[in-house]
PDB file of all heavy atoms in Angstrom:
ATOM      1  N   LEU O  80     -50.026  76.621  38.784  1.00  0.00           N
ATOM      2  CA  LEU O  80     -51.426  76.603  38.992  1.00  0.00           C
ATOM      3  C   LEU O  80     -51.909  77.859  39.773  1.00  0.00           C
ATOM      4  O   LEU O  80     -53.143  78.083  39.849  1.00  0.00           O
ATOM      5  CB  LEU O  80     -51.829  75.366  39.822  1.00  0.00           C
ATOM      6  CG  LEU O  80     -51.435  74.026  39.224  1.00  0.00           C
ATOM      7  CD1 LEU O  80     -51.831  72.877  40.156  1.00  0.00           C
ATOM      8  CD2 LEU O  80     -52.105  73.850  37.859  1.00  0.00           C
ATOM      9  N   GLU O  81     -50.974  78.653  40.354  1.00  0.00           N
ATOM     10  CA  GLU O  81     -51.423  79.845  41.086  1.00  0.00           C
ATOM     11  C   GLU O  81     -51.984  80.900  40.138  1.00  0.00           C
ATOM     12  O   GLU O  81     -53.005  81.521  40.446  1.00  0.00           O
ATOM     13  CB  GLU O  81     -50.206  80.401  41.867  1.00  0.00           C
ATOM     14  CG  GLU O  81     -49.845  79.590  43.077  1.00  0.00           C
ATOM     15  CD  GLU O  81     -48.783  80.266  43.930  1.00  0.00           C
ATOM     16  OE1 GLU O  81     -47.731  80.625  43.334  1.00  0.00           O
ATOM     17  OE2 GLU O  81     -49.002  80.401  45.124  1.00  0.00           O
ATOM     18  N   HIS O  82     -51.263  81.115  39.000  1.00  0.00           N
ATOM     19  CA  HIS O  82     -51.684  82.123  38.068  1.00  0.00           C
ATOM     20  C   HIS O  82     -51.541  81.548  36.653  1.00  0.00           C
ATOM     21  O   HIS O  82     -50.541  80.927  36.336  1.00  0.00           O
ATOM     22  CB  HIS O  82     -50.885  83.399  38.197  1.00  0.00           C
ATOM     23  CG  HIS O  82     -50.971  84.003  39.587  1.00  0.00           C
ATOM     24  ND1 HIS O  82     -52.066  84.677  40.089  1.00  0.00           N
ATOM     25  CD2 HIS O  82     -50.058  83.975  40.612  1.00  0.00           C
ATOM     26  CE1 HIS O  82     -51.847  85.059  41.340  1.00  0.00           C
ATOM     27  NE2 HIS O  82     -50.629  84.607  41.678  1.00  0.00           N
ATOM     28  N   ALA O  83     -52.506  81.695  35.897  1.00  0.00           N
ATOM     29  CA  ALA O  83     -52.499  81.157  34.535  1.00  0.00           C
ATOM     30  C   ALA O  83     -51.312  81.729  33.771  1.00  0.00           C
ATOM     31  O   ALA O  83     -51.015  82.920  33.865  1.00  0.00           O
ATOM     32  CB  ALA O  83     -53.773  81.481  33.809  1.00  0.00           C
ATOM     33  N   GLY O  84     -50.623  80.915  33.016  1.00  0.00           N
ATOM     34  CA  GLY O  84     -49.524  81.322  32.189  1.00  0.00           C
ATOM     35  C   GLY O  84     -48.174  81.243  32.871  1.00  0.00           C
ATOM     36  O   GLY O  84     -47.148  81.308  32.198  1.00  0.00           O
ATOM     37  N   GLN O  85     -48.141  81.133  34.212  1.00  0.00           N
ATOM     38  CA  GLN O  85     -46.849  81.073  34.864  1.00  0.00           C
ATOM     39  C   GLN O  85     -46.177  79.714  34.697  1.00  0.00           C
ATOM     40  O   GLN O  85     -44.969  79.583  34.855  1.00  0.00           O
ATOM     41  CB  GLN O  85     -47.016  81.356  36.386  1.00  0.00           C
ATOM     42  CG  GLN O  85     -47.371  82.807  36.664  1.00  0.00           C
ATOM     43  CD  GLN O  85     -47.428  83.077  38.144  1.00  0.00           C
ATOM     44  OE1 GLN O  85     -47.082  82.207  38.936  1.00  0.00           O
ATOM     45  NE2 GLN O  85     -47.803  84.311  38.512  1.00  0.00           N
ATOM     46  N   GLY O  86     -46.964  78.728  34.372  1.00  0.00           N
ATOM     47  CA  GLY O  86     -46.380  77.396  34.232  1.00  0.00           C
ATOM     48  C   GLY O  86     -45.886  77.134  32.847  1.00  0.00           C
ATOM     49  O   GLY O  86     -45.379  76.066  32.558  1.00  0.00           O
ATOM     50  N   THR O  87     -46.058  78.045  31.876  1.00  0.00           N
ATOM     51  CA  THR O  87     -45.622  77.767  30.527  1.00  0.00           C
ATOM     52  C   THR O  87     -44.145  78.000  30.403  1.00  0.00           C
ATOM     53  O   THR O  87     -43.537  78.669  31.241  1.00  0.00           O
ATOM     54  CB  THR O  87     -46.374  78.697  29.536  1.00  0.00           C
ATOM     55  OG1 THR O  87     -46.110  80.064  29.898  1.00  0.00           O
ATOM     56  CG2 THR O  87     -47.885  78.433  29.627  1.00  0.00           C
ATOM     57  N   GLY O  88     -43.602  77.496  29.364  1.00  0.00           N
ATOM     58  CA  GLY O  88     -42.177  77.703  29.161  1.00  0.00           C
ATOM     59  C   GLY O  88     -41.347  76.494  29.480  1.00  0.00           C
ATOM     60  O   GLY O  88     -41.844  75.385  29.725  1.00  0.00           O
ATOM     61  N   PRO O  89     -40.032  76.631  29.529  1.00  0.00           N
ATOM     62  CA  PRO O  89     -39.129  75.512  29.723  1.00  0.00           C
ATOM     63  C   PRO O  89     -39.336  74.811  31.023  1.00  0.00           C
ATOM     64  O   PRO O  89     -39.169  73.606  31.131  1.00  0.00           O
ATOM     65  CB  PRO O  89     -37.754  76.147  29.618  1.00  0.00           C
ATOM     66  CG  PRO O  89     -37.944  77.428  28.904  1.00  0.00           C
ATOM     67  CD  PRO O  89     -39.311  77.898  29.259  1.00  0.00           C
ATOM     68  N   ASP O  90     -39.696  75.522  32.123  1.00  0.00           N
ATOM     69  CA  ASP O  90     -39.819  74.862  33.424  1.00  0.00           C
ATOM     70  C   ASP O  90     -40.889  73.781  33.383  1.00  0.00           C
ATOM     71  O   ASP O  90     -40.784  72.715  33.963  1.00  0.00           O
ATOM     72  CB  ASP O  90     -40.124  75.884  34.506  1.00  0.00           C
ATOM     73  CG  ASP O  90     -38.918  76.763  34.803  1.00  0.00           C
ATOM     74  OD1 ASP O  90     -37.807  76.339  34.403  1.00  0.00           O
ATOM     75  OD2 ASP O  90     -39.106  77.846  35.393  1.00  0.00           O
ATOM     76  N   THR O  91     -42.016  74.102  32.685  1.00  0.00           N
ATOM     77  CA  THR O  91     -43.094  73.128  32.614  1.00  0.00           C
ATOM     78  C   THR O  91     -42.722  71.986  31.720  1.00  0.00           C
ATOM     79  O   THR O  91     -43.017  70.823  32.008  1.00  0.00           O
ATOM     80  CB  THR O  91     -44.367  73.820  32.105  1.00  0.00           C
ATOM     81  OG1 THR O  91     -44.673  74.916  32.981  1.00  0.00           O
ATOM     82  CG2 THR O  91     -45.530  72.841  32.067  1.00  0.00           C
ATOM     83  N   ARG O  92     -42.083  72.300  30.559  1.00  0.00           N
ATOM     84  CA  ARG O  92     -41.709  71.232  29.643  1.00  0.00           C
ATOM     85  C   ARG O  92     -40.657  70.293  30.262  1.00  0.00           C
ATOM     86  O   ARG O  92     -40.536  69.151  29.856  1.00  0.00           O
ATOM     87  CB  ARG O  92     -41.179  71.822  28.344  1.00  0.00           C
ATOM     88  CG  ARG O  92     -42.235  72.537  27.522  1.00  0.00           C
ATOM     89  CD  ARG O  92     -41.740  72.789  26.110  1.00  0.00           C
ATOM     90  NE  ARG O  92     -40.551  73.636  26.134  1.00  0.00           N
ATOM     91  CZ  ARG O  92     -40.568  74.961  26.051  1.00  0.00           C
ATOM     92  NH1 ARG O  92     -41.747  75.614  26.001  1.00  0.00           N
ATOM     93  NH2 ARG O  92     -39.461  75.665  26.073  1.00  0.00           N
ATOM     94  N   ALA O  93     -39.897  70.767  31.200  1.00  0.00           N
ATOM     95  CA  ALA O  93     -38.831  69.929  31.776  1.00  0.00           C
ATOM     96  C   ALA O  93     -39.372  68.953  32.826  1.00  0.00           C
ATOM     97  O   ALA O  93     -38.606  68.146  33.345  1.00  0.00           O
ATOM     98  CB  ALA O  93     -37.782  70.833  32.435  1.00  0.00           C
ATOM     99  N   GLN O  94     -40.647  69.045  33.135  1.00  0.00           N
ATOM    100  CA  GLN O  94     -41.203  68.152  34.165  1.00  0.00           C
ATOM    101  C   GLN O  94     -41.328  66.720  33.607  1.00  0.00           C
ATOM    102  O   GLN O  94     -41.552  66.505  32.431  1.00  0.00           O
ATOM    103  CB  GLN O  94     -42.587  68.630  34.602  1.00  0.00           C
ATOM    104  CG  GLN O  94     -42.579  70.020  35.229  1.00  0.00           C
ATOM    105  CD  GLN O  94     -41.764  70.069  36.492  1.00  0.00           C
ATOM    106  OE1 GLN O  94     -41.790  69.134  37.303  1.00  0.00           O
ATOM    107  NE2 GLN O  94     -40.986  71.134  36.667  1.00  0.00           N
ATOM    108  N   THR O  95     -41.143  65.788  34.532  1.00  0.00           N
ATOM    109  CA  THR O  95     -41.271  64.358  34.178  1.00  0.00           C
ATOM    110  C   THR O  95     -42.720  64.007  33.846  1.00  0.00           C
ATOM    111  O   THR O  95     -43.621  64.485  34.556  1.00  0.00           O
ATOM    112  CB  THR O  95     -40.781  63.479  35.344  1.00  0.00           C
ATOM    113  OG1 THR O  95     -39.442  63.866  35.664  1.00  0.00           O
ATOM    114  CG2 THR O  95     -40.835  61.999  34.997  1.00  0.00           C
ATOM    115  N   PRO O  96     -42.948  63.273  32.752  1.00  0.00           N
ATOM    116  CA  PRO O  96     -44.333  62.869  32.476  1.00  0.00           C
ATOM    117  C   PRO O  96     -44.951  62.166  33.673  1.00  0.00           C
ATOM    118  O   PRO O  96     -44.321  61.303  34.306  1.00  0.00           O
ATOM    119  CB  PRO O  96     -44.180  61.928  31.284  1.00  0.00           C
ATOM    120  CG  PRO O  96     -42.926  62.385  30.615  1.00  0.00           C
ATOM    121  CD  PRO O  96     -42.016  62.803  31.703  1.00  0.00           C
ATOM    122  N   GLY O  97     -46.172  62.532  33.976  1.00  0.00           N
ATOM    123  CA  GLY O  97     -46.886  61.963  35.142  1.00  0.00           C
ATOM    124  C   GLY O  97     -46.775  62.817  36.373  1.00  0.00           C
ATOM    125  O   GLY O  97     -47.349  62.477  37.403  1.00  0.00           O
ATOM    126  N   THR O  98     -46.023  63.948  36.291  1.00  0.00           N
ATOM    127  CA  THR O  98     -45.893  64.817  37.441  1.00  0.00           C
ATOM    128  C   THR O  98     -47.256  65.424  37.793  1.00  0.00           C
ATOM    129  O   THR O  98     -48.000  65.868  36.936  1.00  0.00           O
ATOM    130  CB  THR O  98     -44.878  65.940  37.166  1.00  0.00           C
ATOM    131  OG1 THR O  98     -43.611  65.362  36.851  1.00  0.00           O
ATOM    132  CG2 THR O  98     -44.724  66.878  38.342  1.00  0.00           C
ATOM    133  N   LEU O  99     -47.560  65.462  39.080  1.00  0.00           N
ATOM    134  CA  LEU O  99     -48.848  65.915  39.570  1.00  0.00           C
ATOM    135  C   LEU O  99     -48.679  67.302  40.177  1.00  0.00           C
ATOM    136  O   LEU O  99     -47.688  67.557  40.883  1.00  0.00           O
ATOM    137  CB  LEU O  99     -49.384  64.941  40.609  1.00  0.00           C
ATOM    138  CG  LEU O  99     -50.643  65.414  41.417  1.00  0.00           C
ATOM    139  CD1 LEU O  99     -51.853  65.462  40.479  1.00  0.00           C
ATOM    140  CD2 LEU O  99     -50.897  64.474  42.584  1.00  0.00           C
ATOM    141  N   GLY O 100     -49.624  68.177  39.900  1.00  0.00           N
ATOM    142  CA  GLY O 100     -49.665  69.502  40.516  1.00  0.00           C
ATOM    143  C   GLY O 100     -51.032  69.779  41.045  1.00  0.00           C
ATOM    144  O   GLY O 100     -52.026  69.617  40.339  1.00  0.00           O
ATOM    145  N   VAL O 101     -51.123  70.250  42.303  1.00  0.00           N
ATOM    146  CA  VAL O 101     -52.437  70.529  42.926  1.00  0.00           C
ATOM    147  C   VAL O 101     -52.296  71.837  43.708  1.00  0.00           C
ATOM    148  O   VAL O 101     -51.277  72.092  44.393  1.00  0.00           O
ATOM    149  CB  VAL O 101     -52.834  69.383  43.872  1.00  0.00           C
ATOM    150  CG1 VAL O 101     -54.227  69.702  44.510  1.00  0.00           C
ATOM    151  CG2 VAL O 101     -52.893  68.072  43.136  1.00  0.00           C
ATOM    152  N   ARG O 102     -53.364  72.708  43.596  1.00  0.00           N
ATOM    153  CA  ARG O 102     -53.426  73.927  44.368  1.00  0.00           C
ATOM    154  C   ARG O 102     -54.634  73.845  45.326  1.00  0.00           C
ATOM    155  O   ARG O 102     -55.731  73.490  44.903  1.00  0.00           O
ATOM    156  CB  ARG O 102     -53.593  75.143  43.456  1.00  0.00           C
ATOM    157  CG  ARG O 102     -53.597  76.461  44.227  1.00  0.00           C
ATOM    158  CD  ARG O 102     -53.940  77.605  43.289  1.00  0.00           C
ATOM    159  NE  ARG O 102     -53.844  78.890  44.012  1.00  0.00           N
ATOM    160  CZ  ARG O 102     -54.417  80.039  43.597  1.00  0.00           C
ATOM    161  NH1 ARG O 102     -55.123  80.014  42.477  1.00  0.00           N
ATOM    162  NH2 ARG O 102     -54.252  81.131  44.292  1.00  0.00           N
ATOM    163  N   LEU O 103     -54.375  74.129  46.627  1.00  0.00           N
ATOM    164  CA  LEU O 103     -55.413  74.076  47.614  1.00  0.00           C
ATOM    165  C   LEU O 103     -55.526  75.406  48.321  1.00  0.00           C
ATOM    166  O   LEU O 103     -54.496  76.050  48.659  1.00  0.00           O
ATOM    167  CB  LEU O 103     -55.144  72.992  48.685  1.00  0.00           C
ATOM    168  CG  LEU O 103     -55.123  71.545  48.216  1.00  0.00           C
ATOM    169  CD1 LEU O 103     -53.697  71.103  47.926  1.00  0.00           C
ATOM    170  CD2 LEU O 103     -55.738  70.659  49.301  1.00  0.00           C
ATOM    171  N   ILE O 104     -56.747  75.884  48.490  1.00  0.00           N
ATOM    172  CA  ILE O 104     -57.030  77.108  49.233  1.00  0.00           C
ATOM    173  C   ILE O 104     -58.050  76.742  50.301  1.00  0.00           C
ATOM    174  O   ILE O 104     -59.142  76.254  49.975  1.00  0.00           O
ATOM    175  CB  ILE O 104     -57.571  78.236  48.335  1.00  0.00           C
ATOM    176  CG1 ILE O 104     -56.524  78.581  47.247  1.00  0.00           C
ATOM    177  CG2 ILE O 104     -57.951  79.443  49.129  1.00  0.00           C
ATOM    178  CD1 ILE O 104     -57.001  79.676  46.284  1.00  0.00           C
ATOM    179  N   GLY O 105     -57.639  76.937  51.540  1.00  0.00           N
ATOM    180  CA  GLY O 105     -58.559  76.613  52.628  1.00  0.00           C
ATOM    181  C   GLY O 105     -58.875  75.128  52.734  1.00  0.00           C
ATOM    182  O   GLY O 105     -60.012  74.749  53.114  1.00  0.00           O
ATOM    183  N   GLY O 106     -57.976  74.298  52.338  1.00  0.00           N
ATOM    184  CA  GLY O 106     -58.180  72.872  52.387  1.00  0.00           C
ATOM    185  C   GLY O 106     -59.029  72.341  51.253  1.00  0.00           C
ATOM    186  O   GLY O 106     -59.392  71.128  51.274  1.00  0.00           O
ATOM    187  N   ARG O 107     -59.323  73.163  50.239  1.00  0.00           N
ATOM    188  CA  ARG O 107     -60.154  72.737  49.098  1.00  0.00           C
ATOM    189  C   ARG O 107     -59.356  72.872  47.844  1.00  0.00           C
ATOM    190  O   ARG O 107     -58.630  73.844  47.605  1.00  0.00           O
ATOM    191  CB  ARG O 107     -61.405  73.608  49.033  1.00  0.00           C
ATOM    192  CG  ARG O 107     -62.436  73.132  48.007  1.00  0.00           C
ATOM    193  CD  ARG O 107     -63.731  73.893  48.164  1.00  0.00           C
ATOM    194  NE  ARG O 107     -63.490  75.342  48.096  1.00  0.00           N
ATOM    195  CZ  ARG O 107     -63.493  76.036  46.956  1.00  0.00           C
ATOM    196  NH1 ARG O 107     -63.678  75.402  45.793  1.00  0.00           N
ATOM    197  NH2 ARG O 107     -63.271  77.369  46.969  1.00  0.00           N
TER     198      ARG O 107
END
Side-chain angles (χ1 to χ4, degrees):
L80 303 178
E81 286 187 306
H82 302 284
Q85 290 184 7
T87 60
D90 289 342
T91 303
R92 291 194 300 269
Q94 299 298 320
T95 303
T98 301
L99 171 68
V101 181
R102 183 188 185 198
L103 296 96
I104 299 178
R107 188 170 55 87

